Amino acid sequence: MTVRLVKTIVLGIFFLNLSLAQAEDFLVKNVRVFDGEHVIGRTSVLVHDGKIVAVAPGLSTQKGMRVIDGKGKTLLPGLIDAHTHIHSRRELEESLVF
């Protein structure tokens, strides 16, 4: 696993925890975005009430809004592990939780 991939995963986990735990409005600037199909280079991502509301270069913020410098980082969609092996009802129930 490369250092860049590790940084990307850690950054993704950080933003997930930040947006879910606090539903804080924030702006990530100077970040590369992978939307699942395309790479958008050096842009900004605005999050309001825990949801992405805008992706564009040069987005402005409201006074007091948290700004995170994403230089050298990549944001990407959440990764979901949907691979399971079911051998019992308990395992089926656990797989639904995950």
Side-chain angles (χ1 to χ4, degrees):
M1 189 176 294
T2 67
V3 172
R4 176 175 273 171
L5 180 59
V6 170
K7 285 182 180 178
T8 299
I9 292 170
V10 169
L11 187 65
I13 292 169
F14 168 76
F15 287 128
L16 175 65
N17 288 337
L18 181 65
S19 64
L20 292 178
Q22 300 172 349
E24 172 186 2
D25 295 350
F26 61 94
L27 176 77
V28 183
K29 64 178 188 172
N30 303 318
V31 68
R32 180 177 43 241
V33 174
F34 175 64
D35 67 5
E37 294 182 11
H38 304 96
V39 175
I40 304 166
R42 197 166 182 197
T43 193
S44 296
V45 177
L46 180 61
V47 176
H48 176 68
D49 288 333
K51 296 181 182 173
I52 296 172
V53 294
V55 177
L59 292 174
S60 60
T61 63
Q62 297 173 349
K63 185 177 181 179
M65 182 182 286
R66 184 175 183 174
V67 177
I68 301 166
D69 187 6
K71 184 178 180 184
K73 308 290 189 290
T74 303
L75 290 178
L76 57 131
L79 303 175
I80 299 171
D81 179 6
H83 179 95
T84 61
H85 293 268
I86 306 300
H87 301 287
S88 69
R89 180 177 177 85
R90 189 182 117 265
E91 289 175 349
L92 176 61
E93 291 168 355
E94 288 176 354
S95 70
L96 292 173
V97 171
F98 295 120

